[in-house]
């Protein structure tokens, strides 16, 4: 066989697929850009930012992004570094999109948490971290902006541990901060890495490695006695502080390796990248209805984690992003679309690199391919050559905002129903019905209110429907599990019974405490704040 199991195993072992999470302005765009520069995927700094600006200017992406100046949609970027093939999945920057972020994290094998050294753990960092936690993937932390006067590195470490409830273990330690930030000491490699010549346009900086223990002669000579003593004290404190780096705990999401650097000046980015690639996990077995699926031995399979409509308004296309989980993806080959049992041809595959699209002819576990979607795909759908299993469905998060849809003009009702159904399928919004299964008034639910703006805009531009929404007072939704009798809420003024797209009952309320009381009164009943979207 030309491309056998061993070749696939080799391709799996060299892949690193991750997402970067951060509070806006912590430097995610800048870091991404520098990583791409190291990988030779970009020739000049500023290209990602320029592309972002161009994207708004040319309205290639959703119009709403342009209007709001935010990034609603995310893309995948890739590059080769040494022997590694790296895939960076871009997470949406806006706080309303934790559900989107979760989907991206399902497609990732690890996450990089970016923290601004002056600001520490910010609100959005916390929220995204919780989403990461839910997903249970290893999290690596990069403390950025060390070229500015920030907080004390030990304080920052303590804050990460206290606020996020995860052990932090510094794998490198900064030498100086602000203008005095001169390098990092690599604790695993026992080596001092000094930087010089960084510039803000920042292609690559000069680096000098000084091998040896932090209190050795060479390090003392390079730093001078005072700086060397300061470093020795800090490292002694770290040694004394307890647990060292433990790969098993990192894999379990209990410990986060910590790195210091400055994306803008390029200081510490390369040492971070190299250690990260060495320590971050390659694609592993994924749970499915048939048990864990091995990436190297199972033929091609993957799942849809994102659907993006109208990336090019001239073509009105939809692209389904597929994370490959096993085997070799070959363009033009066929695979089973497990939910419908249909055989689909893996044609028109594009790999997305920022805004540019390139055709791919083959890809491996960890890679993301975009497939032209004729309206068949849903988030969570499995594609598989053997067809014998489905990957686990995606959780749906309880919306916190609800709007009743006004039905309006009769002649647009069909377009309205189609638009709502398709946009719910894409995961842009959640759809419920008031009253019996599927027959009553539609209600849309969202985790963040901005999603309603996106919905209205897209209904107007894509389905020519002027969507009218009336706010509802509810802010809590729970899915009953176990013994649920609709009679118990039928006459309630405080709880409203609706159904989701799969016909499951959902209880809406203005306050979680009403629902808690119901659960207390009915011991066999559990009320869940997430549901699984069934792909089969
Ligand atoms: P984001 O994607 O996380 O929102 O952040 P982004 O990279 O856009 O960076 C936000 C701001 O922080 C930018 O400044 C950027 O230049 C700056 N920045 C990023 N990394 C570093 C760093 O390591 N050190 C310092 N000192 N600044 C950093 P801006 O003024 O908003 O934009 P610009 O004028 O630089 O384009």
């Amino acid at each position: 066989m030309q491309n056998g199991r061993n070749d696939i195993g080799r391709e799996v072992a060299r892949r690193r697929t991750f997402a970067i999470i951060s509070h806006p302005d912590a430097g995610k765009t800048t870091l991404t850009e520098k990583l791409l520069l190291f990988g030779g995927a970009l020739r000049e700094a500023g290209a990602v930012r320029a592309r972002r600006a161009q994207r708004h200017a040319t309205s290639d992406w959703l119009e709403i992004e342009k209007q709001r100046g935010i990034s609603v949609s995310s893309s995948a970027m890739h590059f080769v570094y040494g022997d590694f093939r790296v895939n960076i999945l871009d997470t949406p920057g806006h706080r309303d999109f934790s559900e989107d972020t979760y989907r991206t994290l399902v497609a990732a094998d690890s996450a990089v948490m970016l923290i601004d050294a002056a600001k520490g753990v910010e609100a959005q960092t916390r929220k995204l971290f919780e989403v990461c936690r839910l997903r249970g993937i290893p999290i690596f932390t990069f403390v950025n902006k060390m070229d500015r006067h920030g907080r004390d590195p030990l304080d920052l470490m303590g804050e990460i541990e206290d606020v996020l409830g995860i052990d932090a273990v510094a794998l490198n330690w900064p030498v100086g901060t602000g203008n005095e930030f001169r390098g990092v000491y690599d604790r695993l490699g026992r080596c001092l890495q000094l930087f010089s010549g960084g510039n803000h346009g920042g292609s690559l900086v000069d680096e000098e490695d000084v091998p040896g223990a932090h209190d050795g002669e060479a390090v003392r000579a390079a730093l001078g006695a005072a700086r060397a003593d300061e470093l020795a004290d800090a490292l002694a404190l770290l040694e004394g502080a307890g647990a060292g780096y433990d790969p098993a705990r990192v894999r379990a999401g209990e410990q986060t390796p910590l790195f210091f650097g400055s994306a803008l000046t390029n200081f510490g980015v390369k040492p971070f990248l190299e250690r990260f690639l060495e320590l971050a996990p390659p694609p592993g077995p994924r749970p499915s209805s048939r048990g864990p699926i091995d990436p190297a031995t199972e033929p091609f399979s993957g799942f849809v984690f994102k659907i993006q409509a109208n990336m090019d308004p001239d073509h009105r296309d939809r692209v389904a992003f597929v994370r490959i989980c096993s085997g070799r993806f070959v363009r033009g080959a066929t695979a089973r679309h497990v939910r419908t049992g249909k055989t689909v041809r893996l044609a028109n595959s594009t790999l997305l690199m920022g805004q540019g699209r390139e055709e791919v002819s083959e890809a491996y576990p960890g890679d993301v391919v975009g497939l032209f979607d004729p309206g068949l795909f849903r988030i969570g759908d499995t594609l598989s050559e053997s067809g014998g299993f489905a990957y686990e469905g995606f959780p749906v998060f309880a919306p916190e905002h609800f709007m009743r849809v006004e039905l309006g003009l009769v002649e647009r009702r069909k377009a309205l129903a189609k638009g709502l159904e398709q946009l719910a399928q894409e995961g842009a919004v959640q759809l419920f019905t008031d009253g019996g299964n599927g027959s009553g008034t539609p209600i849309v639910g969202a985790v963040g209110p901005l999603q309603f703006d996106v919905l209205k805009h897209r209904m107007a531009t894509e389905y020519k429907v002027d969507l009218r929404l009336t706010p509802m007072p509810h802010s809590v939704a729970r899915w009953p599990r176990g013994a649920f009798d609709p009679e118990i809420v039928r006459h309630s003024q405080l709880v409203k019974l609706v159904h989701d797209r799969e016909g499951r009952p959902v209880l809406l309320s203005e306050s979680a405490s009403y629902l808690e009381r119901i659960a207390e009164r009915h011991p066999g009943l559990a009320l869940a704040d997430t549901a699984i979207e069934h792909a089969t």
Side-chain angles (χ1 to χ4, degrees):
M1 213 170 122
Q2 201 191 5
N3 239 305
R5 206 172 267 189
N6 287 343
D7 298 304
I8 296 175
R10 247 196 314 276
E11 292 296 338
V12 171
R14 64 188 278 259
R15 286 233 174 1
R16 297 291 182 272
T17 300
F18 66 97
I20 305 178
I21 58 165
S22 73
H23 190 89
D25 275 345
K28 191 171 70 176
T29 311
T30 313
L31 181 69
T32 305
E33 198 165 271
K34 295 297 154 74
L35 294 176
L36 294 173
L37 271 172
F38 280 115
L42 279 184
R43 264 185 298 278
E44 41 174 331
V48 172
R49 194 179 299 271
R51 213 174 260 154
R52 192 163 69 174
Q54 182 198 16
R55 196 157 90 192
H56 295 159
T58 58
S59 79
D60 266 358
W61 291 57
L62 293 175
E63 187 79 3
I64 195 108
E65 288 192 347
K66 197 172 66 174
Q67 288 175 2
R68 296 287 178 124
I70 54 158
S71 168
V72 177
S73 41
S74 37
S75 53
M77 287 161 274
H78 67 96
F79 63 88
V80 170
Y81 187 81
D83 197 35
F84 291 103
R85 150 78 192 224
V86 185
N87 294 306
I88 307 181
L89 308 181
D90 191 12
T91 49
H94 199 276
R95 70 188 157 80
D96 277 2
F97 291 83
S98 48
E99 197 157 17
D100 258 1
T101 303
Y102 185 86
R103 292 180 190 136
T104 303
L105 289 172
V106 174
D109 297 314
S110 60
V112 170
M113 175 167 70
L114 194 63
I115 285 178
D116 182 327
K119 297 189 173 148
V121 176
E122 296 175 85
Q124 182 69 351
T125 326
R126 202 174 314 177
K127 202 162 167 189
L128 291 168
F129 177 84
E130 279 160 21
V131 178
C132 255
R133 256 282 161 83
L134 210 58
R135 180 51 195 116
I137 49 176
I139 303 167
F140 293 73
T141 303
F142 185 83
V143 178
N144 191 31
K145 306 198 185 182
M146 289 301 291
D147 59 305
R148 280 202 195 149
H149 272 292
R151 308 240 306 265
D152 177 63
L154 276 172
D155 271 6
L156 280 169
M157 230 174 113
E159 183 172 292
I160 291 168
E161 298 196 324
D162 293 347
V163 177
L164 301 179
I166 187 168
D167 282 347
V169 55
L171 293 191
N172 67 27
W173 198 253
V175 176
T177 58
N179 291 336
E180 303 284 293
F181 181 43
R182 295 205 40 214
V184 291
Y185 185 80
D186 176 20
R187 294 179 70 207
L188 293 182
R190 293 164 68 83
C191 169
L192 176 67
Q193 289 160 327
L194 292 176
F195 318 122
S196 62
N199 60 69
H200 284 203
S203 40
L204 298 175
V205 295
D206 301 326
E207 287 180 358
E208 183 193 339
D209 279 4
V210 183
H214 58 80
D215 50 0
E217 273 316 305
V219 171
R220 294 190 77 77
L223 293 183
R227 268 269 129 77
D229 284 344
E230 215 176 279
L231 175 67
D233 287 349
L235 291 169
L237 247 169
L238 288 180
E239 297 293 332
Y245 168 62
D246 180 346
R249 297 196 63 219
V250 172
R251 267 197 306 278
E254 293 166 8
Q255 188 184 69
T256 180
L258 196 65
F259 300 83
F260 293 87
S262 157
L264 187 68
T265 60
N266 246 330
F267 282 12
V269 177
K270 194 168 160 208
F272 161 69
L273 175 64
E274 291 180 351
R275 278 274 175 246
F276 170 73
L277 293 178
E278 181 193 329
L279 305 177
R286 293 247 165 186
S288 82
S289 56
R290 207 185 67 194
I293 299 297
D294 183 77
T297 53
E298 177 74 26
F300 164 75
S301 72
F303 61 82
V304 176
F305 69 97
K306 181 180 168 59
I307 293 172
Q308 173 97 50
N310 293 356
M311 291 168 78
D312 180 347
D314 290 339
H315 294 98
R316 290 184 51 85
D317 54 358
R318 284 201 345 171
V319 173
F321 290 85
V322 176
R323 143 88 198 212
I324 300 171
C325 299
S326 71
R328 191 160 65 110
F329 167 94
V330 181
R331 180 154 60 107
T334 54
R336 183 73 57 87
H337 179 250
V338 174
R339 180 169 51 81
T340 58
K342 282 187 181 154
T343 299
V344 293
R345 211 165 145 252
L346 305 172
N348 292 326
S349 51
T350 52
L351 238 169
L352 282 109
M353 162 74 200
Q355 174 66 354
R357 295 184 187 194
E358 55 185 85
E359 281 284 320
V360 283
S361 48
E362 62 174 37
Y364 292 91
D367 293 345
V368 170
V369 291
L371 294 176
F372 171 72
D373 175 18
L376 174 70
F377 297 119
R378 280 193 206 164
I379 304 266
D381 277 0
T382 299
L383 283 170
S384 137
E385 205 175 308
S386 68
F389 62 89
Y391 286 106
E392 282 185 346
F394 279 49
V396 181
F397 290 76
E400 288 164 22
H401 304 269
F402 300 87
M403 297 266 188
R404 188 180 292 282
V405 176
E406 284 180 35
L407 288 175
L409 297 174
V410 175
E411 61 267 30
R412 298 305 299 155
R413 284 218 185 141
K414 241 174 139 173
L416 173 81
K418 184 173 166 208
L420 287 177
E421 181 58 31
Q422 286 193 349
L423 293 174
Q425 216 173 80
E426 260 180 46
V429 77
Q430 289 181 45
L431 193 56
F432 303 92
T433 46
D434 194 349
N437 287 2
S439 58
T441 320
I443 291 171
V444 286
V447 180
L450 182 65
Q451 282 170 268
F452 294 130
D453 292 348
V454 174
L455 177 72
K456 274 181 162 169
H457 183 85
R458 292 191 56 188
M459 287 297 285
T461 51
E462 294 166 37
Y463 300 93
K464 308 285 174 265
V465 171
D466 174 21
L467 187 67
R468 294 212 198 111
L469 300 174
T470 313
M472 294 169 66
H474 309 91
S475 58
V476 185
R478 295 288 181 264
W479 281 266
R481 290 198 187 135
F484 173 65
D485 177 1
E487 283 305 315
I488 63 176
V489 293
R490 186 173 303 280
H491 303 293
S492 171
Q493 300 291 316
L494 303 173
V495 176
K496 180 170 185 60
L497 172 66
V498 297
H499 289 87
D500 69 10
R501 275 198 314 140
E502 295 188 27
R504 287 177 296 215
V506 185
L507 302 181
L508 308 187
S509 174
E510 289 176 46
S511 150
S513 58
Y514 297 146
L515 293 171
E516 279 158 20
R517 255 176 272 150
I518 290 182
E520 276 163 22
R521 278 204 302 270
H522 300 88
L525 177 68
L527 295 176
D529 60 1
T530 54
I532 295 290
E533 180 127 34
H534 288 104
T536 48

